[in-house]
Amino acid sequence: MVRNAITNGLSVDVEEYFQVGAFEGTIRKVDWDDHAPRVVDNTHAVLDLFAETGVVGTFFTLGWVADRHPELIRAIVDAGHEIASHGWDHQRVFTMDAATFAADLARTRATLEDAGGQKVTGYRAPSFSIDQRTPWAHTVLAEAGYTYSSSVAPVRHDHYGWRDAPRYAFRPLTDSALIELPVTVAEMAGRRMATGGGFFRMLPAAITNYAVHQVNGENQPAIFYFHPWEIDPGQPRISGAPLKSRIRHYSRLGAMAGKLRGLIARHDWGRIDAIIAERPA
């Protein structure tokens, strides 16, 4: 098989199945510890899949998870992967002010670095919640010393999205080297279609494959993401959640691991910090 020479960013958003945005109106944060944890086993399953397929990636991890499972963070680092921040407890950035966001960043980074012994230079906002409502967010990230963010979804969606954002890596600040790497979308007939996470799980794999080829054809790396809970068909069902949320969350969980193996085999993948390091200054 002929593969592209471009290395694409393979990323995992490490969170429990009950911490997703779709359930935030159903499960209170104060009740999270009442739910049996599955993130450790699920993340180890992802680590095994990556070892099997010979790839490394970036694990954007909640501080809440690292605080309770520091040994998981060390396992990720020991396997050669990058640890990056996903915020403390999945609070969307547009619900904070700049000071609250800065505190969230500092608390999460300290916990991740203590657990993993690896410097944290990357950040992904929960639910891609850096958008036109948060003009201050990139400034806060730059002041905190982050090298990059992958927090923008350049697509229109009912839960998130910044449709008018650039599709490819850009510098959001004129006075900072901070880089924003939006997650990859497919552009088809003038419309943008999301390709990672649940979209990859539920839609034909050919759409994401097309999107990767499309951006690589423009000499750009693709940025792909998914969650450990997406390869866990045995997870508990949250009966009180809205029907739409349950359909999105639980559909085709059993197919995800196989689809991931296929996607990984068709393209070259690596850590996002390595992609940043190779970019021209």
Side-chain angles (χ1 to χ4, degrees):
M1 178 182 298
V2 177
R3 295 160 68 105
N4 294 310
I6 294 176
T7 299
N8 302 290
L10 181 61
S11 64
V12 186
D13 292 356
V14 181
E15 59 201 44
E16 288 280 8
Y17 69 95
F18 50 79
Q19 294 174 319
V20 300
F23 296 155
E24 63 188 3
T26 305
I27 301 175
R28 302 181 305 165
K29 290 182 179 180
V30 295
D31 296 328
W32 280 356
D33 282 316
D34 295 338
H35 295 264
R38 300 178 74 89
V39 70
V40 173
D41 288 346
N42 289 341
T43 304
H44 275 287
V46 172
L47 291 172
D48 290 345
L49 190 154
F50 283 4
E52 169 195 329
T53 53
V55 294
V56 292
T58 294
F59 287 67
F60 292 97
T61 306
L62 291 182
W64 188 96
V65 171
D67 185 53
R68 286 157 177 77
H69 309 290
E71 74 291 344
L72 177 63
I73 309 307
R74 173 54 66 179
I76 293 170
V77 170
D78 287 348
H81 306 289
E82 177 192 9
I83 286 290
S85 173
H86 197 34
W88 184 260
D89 61 357
H90 217 265
Q91 183 174 355
R92 300 182 194 220
V93 177
F94 56 68
T95 69
M96 307 186 216
D97 59 22
T100 304
F101 182 45
D104 183 271
L105 289 174
R107 182 186 186 190
T108 305
R109 175 187 254 166
T111 302
L112 292 171
E113 291 184 345
D114 285 349
Q118 182 184 91
K119 185 176 180 181
V120 170
T121 64
Y123 173 78
R124 172 167 291 156
S127 299
F128 303 105
S129 52
I130 288 182
D131 57 25
Q132 65 273 20
R133 291 169 288 186
T134 59
W136 42 263
H138 285 117
T139 299
V140 174
L141 283 165
E143 290 174 347
Y146 280 84
T147 302
Y148 75 88
S149 163
S150 183
S151 302
V152 168
V155 69
R156 186 174 290 110
H157 185 269
D158 57 348
H159 280 286
Y160 58 79
W162 186 357
R163 174 60 178 80
D164 297 327
R167 288 180 68 201
Y168 303 137
F170 65 97
R171 289 188 174 176
L173 305 171
T174 58
D175 58 350
S176 170
L178 176 75
I179 294 174
E180 175 64 50
L181 291 100
V183 290
T184 292
V185 297
E187 195 156 72
M188 307 170 76
R191 301 185 64 180
R192 292 180 176 181
M193 181 178 295
T195 61
F199 300 97
F200 175 72
R201 176 165 36 92
M202 291 187 286
L203 297 175
I207 294 175
T208 298
N209 187 54
Y210 168 79
V212 175
H213 278 299
Q214 186 179 62
V215 300
N216 287 173
E218 298 188 30
N219 202 34
Q220 297 287 339
I223 305 296
F224 177 78
Y225 76 95
F226 70 101
H227 310 84
W229 57 261
E230 291 188 274
I231 61 171
D232 178 18
Q235 65 189 265
R237 269 40 182 177
I238 308 299
S239 59
L243 177 61
K244 188 180 197 179
S245 296
R246 284 183 278 133
I247 291 173
R248 285 175 171 173
H249 188 90
Y250 297 118
S251 293
R252 296 185 57 75
L253 294 174
M256 187 64 167
K259 294 182 77 171
L260 284 169
R261 288 186 180 92
L263 183 70
I264 289 170
R266 287 190 292 271
H267 307 280
D268 290 319
W269 301 97
R271 294 165 48 139
I272 294 179
D273 60 349
I275 293 173
I276 292 292
E278 293 173 0
R279 288 183 60 84

